[in-house]
Amino acid sequence: MSRAKQLYDWFDTRLDVENGQTFLGKAFPAEDSFLLGEVALFCFLLLVLSGIFLGFFFEPSTSDVEYDGSVQKFQGEEMPEAFVSVLHITYDVPFGMFIRRLHHWAAHLFVASIGLHMLRVFFTGAYRNPREPNWIVGTGLAALAMGAAYTGYALPFDEFAATATSIGYNLTISVPLVGDFFGQVIFGGEFPSSATIPRLYFLHVLVIPMLIAGGLALHMAILVRQKHTEAPRDDDLTAGGREVDKDDDSVIVGLPAFPNQAAVSAVVFFFTAATLSALAGLLPVHNIAHYGPNDPASTPGLIMPDWFLMWVYGFLKLLPKWASFTVGPVHVSGEFIGGVVLPGLVFAAVAVWPFIDRTPEPTHFTADPLSRPWQTGVGVAAVAFVMIASIAGMNNILADKVLGTTTGVVNPILQAALLLVPPLVGGLTYLLLRNGDNESPTDEQEIAADGDAAADATGGESDD
């Protein structure tokens, strides 16, 4: 069999390329709708809508203009136009502060909901055959969400944001051989240059959102083409006037996409919008008036990225100085290893995981994490690894504010914890689950004999 035929067959068994489905008849499990993915989708929609509003007033320029607005301490000063425009949005545009806060919290919830959604998929084994393609797409969306947040973080061009953004520039130019080229393309040259804000603005409002929109569309298209995962049934069911065996994965007992699931999704959308509105109305966001415009001659006392990039910052802080080395004309810096290589390996490991934990036959029931000792152990170890790296990113706060010591004392402890704690907690999880008396359904119970003929059903009826 040719490689092309093998590749086609691989996709056909996962996406049912040769047979179509009717979207409105697609079934969603009544008790297991897994709405975290929908929360992420609705956050992106709110980000686009609020971003359009903010885009009407934001000026992506570092040229100095005289400020004439509501903040008295800056009155009459010459400041970068990007900074001035954000001050204008925050204090002078009607509802500007609210929309800016809504955009901020939607970005944080977008990243958080993607992460929680992927954790749910991981621990329940919902990434297994035939859903490997969607897991890869989801991994890419997680990376793009972080990229969108990073590029937006720099746009106000205040002292704190500009200094934090410079870390990304240093990581970019640390790439051997091509780093300077990437620095020119992404940041417009040495940071900050007059082209930095326009380049990041272009990436933030056009390039990355288009990639995210395309990724979400692909993610949803694959979801529609495939069966939805369903929790294992306790007993045989009666649905639509027919008996459905508890091990029959060719039928999903649940709600049709329209009108039932559409109504549920509408509730989720309004609940998401209400939650973000409450956060925007009650909680402040980054106070640019406090930090003032970017000043290359000074550096704020406490600089760190947002929580979802803190683990990368932790790698940079914990990597020993001897990690840098030179091979011939190529210099490999610690910044490149800690800020590019290690995070890249983390994302690569996440992307290839379905091909490590493989199932030969299609699996349409989710699994109980307690019945998967080694997979759950790996997941717990990975979560511990990221958490310790994130704590390391805040090592100065941990050392000074919590322990009353120095980072020189704390860092060796964190380095040891990063290497030892994840395998320890992962191994302990494995041993506890392996020796437990859990009676959850096995993989053999989850796999139907005729997986190739599996089709969604609502109340026992096929989508076709």
Side-chain angles (χ1 to χ4, degrees):
M1 183 182 295
S2 67
R3 290 289 184 183
K5 175 61 175 174
Q6 290 177 337
L7 183 62
Y8 176 85
D9 289 344
W10 191 88
F11 277 102
D12 185 44
T13 58
R14 285 153 175 79
L15 304 179
D16 193 22
V17 175
E18 293 185 356
N19 297 302
Q21 292 184 13
T22 302
F23 172 71
L24 297 182
K26 179 174 176 62
F28 289 80
E31 297 179 357
D32 302 281
S33 296
F34 308 136
L35 297 178
L36 284 168
E38 292 191 19
V39 172
L41 175 64
F42 297 144
C43 283
F44 179 70
L45 176 60
L46 292 169
L47 281 168
V48 171
L49 294 176
S50 58
I52 291 173
F53 177 92
L54 297 174
F56 283 124
F57 305 99
F58 180 71
E59 295 292 341
S61 170
T62 57
S63 300
D64 286 339
V65 294
E66 182 177 341
Y67 178 70
D68 181 18
S70 300
V71 183
Q72 291 301 314
K73 73 174 183 177
F74 296 130
Q75 196 69 31
E77 289 190 24
E78 295 282 332
M79 298 185 297
E81 194 169 11
F83 178 80
V84 169
S85 67
V86 176
L87 284 178
H88 178 63
I89 291 170
T90 305
Y91 298 105
D92 298 302
V93 174
F95 300 103
M97 179 181 291
F98 174 80
I99 298 298
R100 181 173 166 237
R101 289 180 176 185
L102 180 70
H103 194 76
H104 172 93
W105 292 117
H108 281 259
L109 186 58
F110 182 50
V111 178
S113 57
I114 290 177
L116 291 173
H117 180 60
M118 293 188 71
L119 284 174
R120 196 280 303 170
V121 170
F122 178 90
F123 283 108
T124 61
Y127 54 80
R128 294 173 294 177
N129 181 356
R131 295 173 183 82
E132 306 97 328
N134 235 4
W135 175 262
I136 296 173
V137 173
T139 304
L141 285 171
L144 288 171
M146 294 181 186
Y150 169 78
T151 52
Y153 194 71
L155 297 184
F157 206 54
D158 64 294
E159 178 63 7
F160 184 96
T163 306
T165 305
S166 67
I167 298 173
Y169 171 74
N170 292 331
L171 296 182
T172 302
I173 63 175
S174 72
V175 179
L177 301 178
V178 295
D180 290 338
F181 171 75
F182 286 148
Q184 288 284 345
V185 171
I186 299 174
F187 295 91
E190 185 176 352
F191 182 88
S193 72
S194 59
T196 297
I197 296 301
R199 298 284 177 92
L200 295 180
Y201 181 70
F202 175 68
L203 290 171
H204 183 71
V205 304
L206 182 62
V207 177
I208 298 178
M210 287 182 63
L211 292 175
I212 291 176
L216 287 172
L218 179 60
H219 196 71
M220 294 299 296
I222 295 174
L223 175 66
V224 170
R225 297 292 294 177
Q226 294 179 336
K227 285 173 54 61
H228 206 295
T229 52
E230 185 180 3
R233 304 164 188 149
D234 295 329
D235 299 296
D236 295 348
L237 301 173
T238 300
R242 60 172 286 192
E243 291 288 335
V244 179
D245 186 81
K246 69 175 183 178
D247 296 326
D248 183 4
D249 70 350
S250 67
V251 172
I252 287 181
V253 179
L255 305 174
F258 185 86
N260 305 68
Q261 186 60 34
V264 174
S265 297
V267 172
V268 175
F269 170 76
F270 288 116
F271 182 77
T272 302
T275 300
L276 292 174
S277 297
L279 291 173
L282 298 174
L283 299 180
V285 297
H286 183 69
N287 186 356
I288 66 168
H290 171 74
Y291 290 101
N294 174 57
D295 181 5
S298 66
T299 301
L302 183 63
I303 294 295
M304 60 180 59
D306 283 322
W307 60 269
F308 46 81
L309 290 173
M310 193 67 70
W311 56 284
V312 180
Y313 199 42
F315 289 158
L316 292 172
K317 288 193 170 186
L318 293 187
L319 207 66
K321 295 181 179 179
W322 49 260
S324 300
F325 60 91
T326 301
V327 180
V330 178
H331 177 69
V332 180
S333 66
E335 285 184 325
F336 173 65
I337 296 174
V340 180
V341 174
L342 291 181
L345 290 175
V346 169
F347 274 102
V350 172
V352 303
W353 176 253
F355 304 97
I356 298 173
D357 181 27
R358 296 175 60 250
T359 55
E361 297 293 335
T363 305
H364 300 298
F365 288 116
T366 57
D368 184 347
L370 302 181
S371 69
R372 291 157 46 87
W374 77 269
Q375 294 95 333
T376 300
V378 170
V380 170
V383 171
F385 182 77
V386 173
M387 289 180 64
I388 294 171
S390 298
I391 293 172
M394 300 178 283
N395 64 345
N396 48 353
I397 297 177
L398 177 65
D400 183 36
K401 305 297 184 182
V402 179
L403 301 178
T405 185
T406 64
T407 56
V409 174
V410 169
N411 278 1
I413 299 174
L414 290 172
Q415 288 170 341
L418 189 64
L419 295 176
L420 299 178
V421 171
L424 179 63
V425 298
L428 181 60
T429 301
Y430 171 78
L431 292 175
L432 290 174
L433 296 183
R434 183 184 180 188
N435 296 327
D437 294 325
N438 183 54
E439 298 294 339
S440 298
T442 63
D443 283 345
E444 288 75 15
Q445 291 175 306
E446 295 172 351
I447 299 173
D450 188 13
D452 293 339
D456 284 355
T458 302
E461 295 180 2
S462 169
D463 280 345
D464 295 337

